Amino acid sequence: LGRMKPVIVVHGGAGRIFREREEGCRAGVVRAALRGYALLKQGGSAIDAVEEAVRSMEDDPHFNAGCGSVLNEKGEVEMDAIIMDGKNLDSGAVSAVKCIANPIKLARLVMEKTKHMLLTDHGAHLFAQAMGIPEIPGEKLITERSRERWKKNLEPDSNPEEFQKDLGTVGAVAIDSEGNVACATSTGGLSNKKIGRVGDTACIGSGGYADNHSGATSTTGHGESIMKVVLARLVLYHMEQGMSPEVAADTALDYMKTRVGGLGGVIVVNKAGEWAARFSTKQMSWATVKDDNLHYGIYAGEKHIKSVDEALASEREGF
């Protein structure tokens, strides 16, 4: 059996990335991609790699996932996450979870330790306790920036929609040396959302999908729009019809835009290890490692390339 060359692609969310946050977002997606790739290089599985990459971004306050998540109408963090294994279509997800650092870890446990695919809110909380996942105070996940934004959105003349442009869901897709694919996606959702609102991230086929027969995708953008077109599965469908990852991603994003007026982004890897990172929003932070080369960018058409060794060296020097 010919060994596949491993590939990882990550995104840090589609939308508008404010100037002062650009460097942090770039550094964050690069770090996540390098961490996931390091596992793949050691012969690790795609599922381990995507979990590790997403965990890295959940821990990074620059992104709307884990620490740094936006707040709901009541000023609390409620998070959604999903993970999926392309080998057997196993998936695990959690929605509206509070007071844990890494929802992606919990999603993986749902996949591996239960017969279910999605646990929500209180039930997810009880399961986390049973699995020995440490509970952390909700405040620990809240950054100054999220609280400021929440307050702004509470003002009578505010327009939370304006702020939704900076969405920051995080995700990863990978193919490992065995040819298995996987995806993972995690988010804090929409700022000032209704309590109990669940977006696309926790929904299989919308927030992510992975199938060894075609590839893996993770999405970001306006959750309700993504759910209407089942965006992650739609991208894979187009690849099954023979489109390249890039054309499949653009076609699906275009459909979402014309059909329901929704903007977003997707990362894709197909079963041959070809990848794409595409978006219809102004920006999306993304990074890929393939053939020991790191590619990354934020703006449409922007693509930096470095060798992994060079990237790791500048990592150590603090970017």
PDB file of all heavy atoms in Angstrom, residues 24-36:
ATOM      1  N   GLY A  24      -1.678  38.115  15.547  1.00  0.00           N
ATOM      2  CA  GLY A  24      -2.039  37.063  16.494  1.00  0.00           C
ATOM      3  C   GLY A  24      -2.796  35.927  15.824  1.00  0.00           C
ATOM      4  O   GLY A  24      -2.583  34.750  16.136  1.00  0.00           O
ATOM      5  N   CYS A  25      -3.681  36.294  14.886  1.00  0.00           N
ATOM      6  CA  CYS A  25      -4.454  35.266  14.174  1.00  0.00           C
ATOM      7  C   CYS A  25      -3.559  34.446  13.256  1.00  0.00           C
ATOM      8  O   CYS A  25      -3.670  33.224  13.192  1.00  0.00           O
ATOM      9  CB  CYS A  25      -5.580  35.910  13.363  1.00  0.00           C
ATOM     10  SG  CYS A  25      -6.933  36.498  14.395  1.00  0.00           S
ATOM     11  N   ARG A  26      -2.656  35.136  12.557  1.00  0.00           N
ATOM     12  CA  ARG A  26      -1.713  34.422  11.687  1.00  0.00           C
ATOM     13  C   ARG A  26      -0.858  33.459  12.495  1.00  0.00           C
ATOM     14  O   ARG A  26      -0.723  32.295  12.146  1.00  0.00           O
ATOM     15  CB  ARG A  26      -0.781  35.416  10.993  1.00  0.00           C
ATOM     16  CG  ARG A  26      -1.216  35.745   9.607  1.00  0.00           C
ATOM     17  CD  ARG A  26      -0.110  36.386   8.789  1.00  0.00           C
ATOM     18  NE  ARG A  26      -0.744  37.099   7.695  1.00  0.00           N
ATOM     19  CZ  ARG A  26      -1.012  38.398   7.713  1.00  0.00           C
ATOM     20  NH1 ARG A  26      -0.667  39.126   8.737  1.00  0.00           N
ATOM     21  NH2 ARG A  26      -1.621  38.961   6.697  1.00  0.00           N
ATOM     22  N   ALA A  27      -0.292  33.979  13.584  1.00  0.00           N
ATOM     23  CA  ALA A  27       0.589  33.151  14.419  1.00  0.00           C
ATOM     24  C   ALA A  27      -0.186  31.966  14.984  1.00  0.00           C
ATOM     25  O   ALA A  27       0.331  30.846  15.066  1.00  0.00           O
ATOM     26  CB  ALA A  27       1.178  33.992  15.556  1.00  0.00           C
ATOM     27  N   GLY A  28      -1.454  32.201  15.348  1.00  0.00           N
ATOM     28  CA  GLY A  28      -2.277  31.158  15.955  1.00  0.00           C
ATOM     29  C   GLY A  28      -2.594  30.004  15.011  1.00  0.00           C
ATOM     30  O   GLY A  28      -2.542  28.840  15.400  1.00  0.00           O
ATOM     31  N   VAL A  29      -2.934  30.329  13.750  1.00  0.00           N
ATOM     32  CA  VAL A  29      -3.240  29.248  12.798  1.00  0.00           C
ATOM     33  C   VAL A  29      -1.961  28.512  12.389  1.00  0.00           C
ATOM     34  O   VAL A  29      -1.967  27.291  12.209  1.00  0.00           O
ATOM     35  CB  VAL A  29      -4.018  29.724  11.535  1.00  0.00           C
ATOM     36  CG1 VAL A  29      -5.453  30.077  11.898  1.00  0.00           C
ATOM     37  CG2 VAL A  29      -3.327  30.853  10.813  1.00  0.00           C
ATOM     38  N   VAL A  30      -0.868  29.247  12.279  1.00  0.00           N
ATOM     39  CA  VAL A  30       0.411  28.620  11.932  1.00  0.00           C
ATOM     40  C   VAL A  30       0.822  27.638  13.030  1.00  0.00           C
ATOM     41  O   VAL A  30       1.196  26.494  12.757  1.00  0.00           O
ATOM     42  CB  VAL A  30       1.508  29.687  11.694  1.00  0.00           C
ATOM     43  CG1 VAL A  30       2.899  29.060  11.719  1.00  0.00           C
ATOM     44  CG2 VAL A  30       1.257  30.397  10.367  1.00  0.00           C
ATOM     45  N   ARG A  31       0.728  28.088  14.283  1.00  0.00           N
ATOM     46  CA  ARG A  31       1.096  27.226  15.411  1.00  0.00           C
ATOM     47  C   ARG A  31       0.237  25.957  15.408  1.00  0.00           C
ATOM     48  O   ARG A  31       0.738  24.847  15.587  1.00  0.00           O
ATOM     49  CB  ARG A  31       0.904  27.992  16.730  1.00  0.00           C
ATOM     50  CG  ARG A  31       1.362  27.239  17.976  1.00  0.00           C
ATOM     51  CD  ARG A  31       1.178  28.081  19.229  1.00  0.00           C
ATOM     52  NE  ARG A  31       1.764  29.400  19.068  1.00  0.00           N
ATOM     53  CZ  ARG A  31       1.088  30.545  19.181  1.00  0.00           C
ATOM     54  NH1 ARG A  31      -0.201  30.557  19.439  1.00  0.00           N
ATOM     55  NH2 ARG A  31       1.714  31.702  19.016  1.00  0.00           N
ATOM     56  N   ALA A  32      -1.068  26.122  15.184  1.00  0.00           N
ATOM     57  CA  ALA A  32      -1.983  24.971  15.188  1.00  0.00           C
ATOM     58  C   ALA A  32      -1.629  23.986  14.078  1.00  0.00           C
ATOM     59  O   ALA A  32      -1.605  22.769  14.292  1.00  0.00           O
ATOM     60  CB  ALA A  32      -3.422  25.457  15.030  1.00  0.00           C
ATOM     61  N   ALA A  33      -1.339  24.520  12.884  1.00  0.00           N
ATOM     62  CA  ALA A  33      -1.003  23.655  11.746  1.00  0.00           C
ATOM     63  C   ALA A  33       0.307  22.900  11.998  1.00  0.00           C
ATOM     64  O   ALA A  33       0.410  21.701  11.711  1.00  0.00           O
ATOM     65  CB  ALA A  33      -0.905  24.487  10.470  1.00  0.00           C
ATOM     66  N   LEU A  34       1.281  23.597  12.557  1.00  0.00           N
ATOM     67  CA  LEU A  34       2.574  22.958  12.834  1.00  0.00           C
ATOM     68  C   LEU A  34       2.427  21.853  13.880  1.00  0.00           C
ATOM     69  O   LEU A  34       3.050  20.796  13.781  1.00  0.00           O
ATOM     70  CB  LEU A  34       3.603  24.002  13.312  1.00  0.00           C
ATOM     71  CG  LEU A  34       4.101  24.981  12.242  1.00  0.00           C
ATOM     72  CD1 LEU A  34       4.925  26.096  12.878  1.00  0.00           C
ATOM     73  CD2 LEU A  34       4.917  24.268  11.158  1.00  0.00           C
ATOM     74  N   ARG A  35       1.586  22.101  14.884  1.00  0.00           N
ATOM     75  CA  ARG A  35       1.376  21.087  15.932  1.00  0.00           C
ATOM     76  C   ARG A  35       0.699  19.849  15.374  1.00  0.00           C
ATOM     77  O   ARG A  35       1.075  18.721  15.680  1.00  0.00           O
ATOM     78  CB  ARG A  35       0.521  21.666  17.057  1.00  0.00           C
ATOM     79  CG  ARG A  35       1.320  22.546  17.979  1.00  0.00           C
ATOM     80  CD  ARG A  35       0.489  22.901  19.190  1.00  0.00           C
ATOM     81  NE  ARG A  35       1.236  23.803  20.046  1.00  0.00           N
ATOM     82  CZ  ARG A  35       0.712  24.451  21.079  1.00  0.00           C
ATOM     83  NH1 ARG A  35      -0.578  24.307  21.357  1.00  0.00           N
ATOM     84  NH2 ARG A  35       1.443  25.243  21.825  1.00  0.00           N
ATOM     85  N   GLY A  36      -0.333  20.072  14.560  1.00  0.00           N
ATOM     86  CA  GLY A  36      -1.031  18.941  13.959  1.00  0.00           C
ATOM     87  C   GLY A  36      -0.105  18.162  13.031  1.00  0.00           C
ATOM     88  O   GLY A  36      -0.105  16.924  13.031  1.00  0.00           O
TER      89      GLY A  36
END
